[in-house]
Amino acid sequence: MSRRYRPVENHDHLYRDNTTNAIINTNMNEYQSYIANREKLQSDKERIENLEGKVDSLQGDISDIKNLLLKIVDK
């Protein structure tokens, strides 16, 4: 790494950017693992949001059915 980066103590693949103070990870395997994990978490979040929407819709449908059944029973 150039003078712009200095090694982080006790971490072989981590460097600190002297300009921004950011930590840079040069281990591509760890980076790819991080990206895959982030994508899986995003996919899981979208799936949960989709399921929550379906549950809300089903609750509304059940409420409508219940109201219709109550009307039928009252007649």
Side-chain angles (χ1 to χ4, degrees), residues 1-3 6-7 11 13-14 17-18 22-24 31-32 34 39-40 48 50-51 56 59 62 72-73:
M1 290 261 128
S2 69
R3 288 184 179 261
R6 67 178 186 274
H11 297 280
H13 299 287
L14 298 180
D17 183 321
N18 293 322
I23 296 291
I24 311 296
Y31 175 73
Q32 292 298 329
Y34 164 77
E39 288 173 355
K40 182 182 181 321
I48 289 169
N50 185 18
L51 289 172
D56 289 343
Q59 284 177 329
I62 289 171
I72 292 171
V73 169

Side-chain angles (χ1 to χ4, degrees), residues 54-68:
K54 287 181 179 183
V55 167
D56 289 343
S57 177
L58 286 172
Q59 284 177 329
D61 292 347
I62 289 171
S63 179
D64 291 345
I65 292 169
K66 179 181 172 184
N67 290 333
L68 289 172

Side-chain angles (χ1 to χ4, degrees), residues 5-72:
Y5 303 107
R6 67 178 186 274
V8 174
E9 202 171 306
N10 299 322
H11 297 280
D12 293 337
H13 299 287
L14 298 180
Y15 294 85
R16 183 167 303 277
D17 183 321
N18 293 322
T19 305
T20 65
N21 215 28
I23 296 291
I24 311 296
N25 185 350
T26 60
N27 184 324
M28 289 307 291
N29 290 332
E30 284 183 15
Y31 175 73
Q32 292 298 329
S33 177
Y34 164 77
I35 294 297
N37 187 48
R38 185 182 67 183
E39 288 173 355
K40 182 182 181 321
L41 289 174
Q42 181 63 31
S43 175
D44 290 348
K45 180 182 175 186
E46 290 171 0
R47 183 174 171 266
I48 289 169
E49 288 172 354
N50 185 18
L51 289 172
E52 287 174 342
K54 287 181 179 183
V55 167
D56 289 343
S57 177
L58 286 172
Q59 284 177 329
D61 292 347
I62 289 171
S63 179
D64 291 345
I65 292 169
K66 179 181 172 184
N67 290 333
L68 289 172
L69 288 173
L70 288 173
K71 285 181 183 179
I72 292 171

